[in-house]
Amino acid sequence: MGGRLHGAFMADPPLARPSSNGLLVIDLAALKRNYRALKSAVQPAACAAVVKADAYGLGVAPVVNALLAEDCSTFFVATLGEGKLVKAIAPSATVYVFNGLSPQTAPEFAASGVRPVLNSLDDVQDWAEHNERIFKQLPAAVHIDTGMNRLGLTATEAGKLAAARDMLDAFRISLAMSHLACADETDSPKNAVQRDMFAALAGLLPAEGRSLANSGGVFLGQRYHFDLARPGIALYGGRFSQDIGPLEPVVRLYARIAQIREADRDETVGYGGAFTLKRRTRLATISAGYADGFKRLLGSSDAGDGWAVYVGDYRAPVVGRVSMDLIMVDVTDVPEPFAQRGALVEIIGEHVTLDDLAAAAGTIGYEILTSLGARYERVYTGS
């Protein structure tokens, strides 16, 4: 299918149903090309994929199936529920859960075949005791904290675990892992400190594999790759480094014009009357708001300009505050055949990247993707 906007509508053929208020187009072919580029960059290490938060908001089933077609066999998620869902889609895949064991969840992990990431000595003890009860040595990852102070064993705890042969004999450490705090800053000295600390501490454990590199870590060089890289945002076309451009864009986002109206100079627009019109204005009301991931910071007021959408190739600035379901844009300078009731306008696409929108909203691409609401019709291309 084609992807270019001709005028105000998606071309060859129109992808949105007339009842769709918005359209999220997800290019699975671009996703697969991004995975191939990342996989090539880390060879001879293996390349996993992070598909937590419903594959960063893009739909875990189609994303996982697309990656399976590229021979991706290891996936990372945040919660046990997410892990069980990925395991149902890909029964033969290896699935790790970043958030690890909560008390009394070891039996559920074991039954589902999902591997916990053990983030504390309490996690390790729970997993070891469960393995002893069922007379099995099931695999798990052990997370070593090398500078995030978020999850993982401290250096002291890693040393204690290395000496605790009874616990280590109870299960398999299929992966020792850590997480880079500053991988998006290629010149940060913290990267090398974490890498060296991880290499030393992981070397104390009988781990079958080691993993450190996230999306940014992939491009820090081979010394960061170890045995398994686990990119996330780079797969989905988001910026992963301050110094390296993103890979191919994967998403395009459109919303529909619900109404066109005229308003006079000195009238106000939206909640609070925060924006006063400076001329007679043709306004388009768009069916998207902060419930759909269009952040309130993108609105405008008399104190400052906001963001803009595109109607065809024409820029249409947001006027007034963003509300839950709607935004208003100025289409006075857009030819009427383009700006009409029912037309689709571009929020992310040819003129505006995911990271452009994120920067304007004072956030990052991760948050934009994962906050895109369920009200958009999702259309998958390139499958």
Side-chain angles (χ1 to χ4, degrees):
M1 272 187 249
R4 188 162 188 318
L5 268 176
H6 295 287
F9 294 94
M10 186 68 66
D12 58 316
L15 299 177
R17 295 173 296 179
S19 59
S20 301
N21 285 333
L23 180 67
L24 178 60
V25 182
I26 299 154
D27 186 346
L28 295 176
L31 173 87
K32 291 192 282 188
R33 288 191 294 271
N34 287 347
Y35 178 76
R36 288 199 293 269
L38 293 160
K39 184 178 179 179
S40 176
V42 300
Q43 287 179 340
C47 190
V50 180
V51 293
K52 61 184 178 178
D54 195 30
Y56 286 52
L58 302 187
V60 69
V63 166
V64 167
N65 281 317
L67 293 170
L68 288 172
E70 296 298 321
D71 297 322
C72 181
S73 60
T74 303
F75 298 92
F76 287 81
V77 296
T79 68
L80 176 56
E82 291 177 345
K84 291 166 73 173
L85 180 56
V86 173
K87 199 68 174 171
I89 298 165
S92 62
T94 299
V95 182
Y96 287 101
V97 174
F98 282 131
N99 291 10
L101 287 174
S102 297
Q104 302 179 1
T105 59
E108 197 170 351
F109 272 94
S112 63
V114 174
R115 300 183 183 184
V117 175
L118 307 177
N119 293 304
S120 67
L121 289 178
D122 287 339
D123 282 4
V124 173
Q125 185 169 345
D126 283 354
W127 190 242
E129 289 176 352
H130 179 73
N131 277 255
E132 289 170 346
R133 281 195 296 271
I134 64 173
F135 303 103
K136 290 182 179 180
Q137 288 181 302
L138 298 178
V142 171
H143 184 180
I144 302 167
D145 178 27
T146 56
M148 280 283 280
N149 278 306
R150 189 175 63 172
L151 288 172
L153 278 69
T154 65
T156 299
E157 290 170 334
K160 289 180 179 179
L161 177 59
R165 300 308 309 180
D166 54 337
M167 283 201 291
L168 290 176
D169 289 342
F171 70 99
R172 290 168 42 215
I173 302 180
S174 55
L175 194 68
M177 58 168 283
S178 190
H179 194 76
L180 292 164
C182 302
D184 60 329
E185 303 172 30
T186 56
D187 59 352
S188 172
K190 192 175 182 70
N191 291 323
V193 170
Q194 286 194 266
R195 178 198 64 208
D196 294 345
M197 183 177 178
F198 173 66
L201 293 174
L204 301 176
L205 301 175
E208 298 167 8
R210 297 171 297 170
S211 177
L212 178 64
N214 52 9
S215 289
V218 166
F219 295 93
L220 291 178
Q222 190 172 22
R223 292 185 66 193
Y224 290 83
H225 296 163
F226 291 93
D227 300 301
L228 179 72
R230 46 179 207 278
I233 191 66
L235 287 168
Y236 308 104
R239 181 169 288 278
F240 53 84
S241 171
Q242 296 179 4
D243 309 305
I244 304 168
L247 301 181
E248 287 191 50
V250 172
V251 300
R252 288 172 286 140
L253 181 65
Y254 306 91
R256 200 178 295 282
I257 296 176
Q259 186 183 65
I260 301 286
R261 66 188 304 126
E262 301 278 344
D264 288 327
R265 177 177 177 170
D266 296 328
E267 289 191 52
T268 62
V269 180
Y271 281 118
F275 187 94
T276 305
L277 297 174
K278 299 172 180 62
R279 62 176 178 174
R280 182 165 178 79
T281 304
R282 191 165 184 253
L283 293 170
T285 301
I286 310 299
S287 294
Y290 57 77
D292 307 292
F294 197 92
K295 304 296 185 180
R296 290 187 79 242
L297 280 174
L298 298 170
S300 65
S301 70
D302 293 339
D305 295 335
W307 194 234
V309 300
Y310 276 80
V311 186
D313 290 324
Y314 297 90
R315 186 177 184 274
V318 176
V319 292
R321 293 179 183 170
V322 175
S323 54
M324 183 182 291
D325 316 301
L326 301 165
I327 56 175
M328 286 70 72
V329 301
D330 182 347
V331 293
T332 308
D333 299 324
V334 179
E336 288 193 20
F338 292 87
Q340 55 184 289
R341 174 173 162 263
L344 289 171
V345 304
E346 175 195 314
I347 298 174
I348 299 171
E350 183 178 351
H351 302 88
V352 178
T353 70
L354 167 65
D355 295 294
D356 290 336
L357 185 67
T363 185
I364 54 178
Y366 302 72
E367 185 179 7
I368 296 295
L369 283 181
T370 56
S371 65
L372 297 178
R375 299 192 291 193
Y376 296 112
E377 180 183 357
R378 281 161 166 76
V379 172
Y380 295 89
T381 66
S383 60

